[in-house]
Amino acid sequence: MCYLESKQSRRLCPFFNLIVRQLSNYIIVNLKSLVGITKIKEDKEMKQSYKGKSVWITGGGSGLGRAMALRYSHLGARVSVSGRRADRLEETVKEIETQGGSGLTVPCDVVQEQQVVSAVGQVIKRFGSLDVAVANAAFPLKG
């Protein structure tokens, strides 16, 4: 699904979704023939593999992080999202919960080690484990 956020890009979402579906089908068909794959996991199988798992995504309030959070939730995972903008994180978790999933907002600046340690602790305290961590947050490089 397309999760672009600007008003202009929302009009393009159906178009982008169609392209992604077409490309996905093309890639899967060609991958099967190239490497001899005979079975690609369906959504149902994927849901079973993430059902009950705890996923923590940094940079989960927007862009790819948000899209991954919504997708993992759709696949049955309990999703925690971190980032510096609590309002965006709360929007992501609200959408996860609206779709029947379980989410947690954990504000965190990934360049602050103590905040990262605290975030991991919060995820484990809420969900009992941390099974998947996605390091998606952007941070400045000093040169």
Side-chain angles (χ1 to χ4, degrees), residues 27-101:
I27 290 167
I28 288 171
V29 167
N30 286 297
L31 234 140
K32 285 180 181 180
S33 64
L34 285 173
V35 294
I37 297 173
T38 58
K39 186 175 182 186
I40 300 290
K41 284 189 173 183
E42 299 294 327
D43 246 15
K44 186 173 149 185
E45 292 177 71
M46 291 288 287
K47 280 186 180 181
Q48 290 175 348
S49 65
Y50 286 104
K51 187 175 182 178
K53 300 289 186 192
S54 172
V55 176
W56 175 44
I57 301 172
T58 63
S62 63
L64 288 173
R66 177 181 170 88
M68 285 186 283
L70 296 171
R71 183 64 180 161
Y72 272 113
S73 176
H74 173 76
L75 294 172
R78 299 167 297 168
V79 180
S80 302
V81 290
S82 288
R84 291 175 292 165
R85 296 185 56 188
D87 57 329
R88 291 243 176 137
L89 301 173
E90 289 166 7
E91 289 173 12
T92 300
V93 169
K94 183 177 178 183
E95 187 166 347
I96 287 169
E97 291 172 345
T98 298
Q99 296 174 359

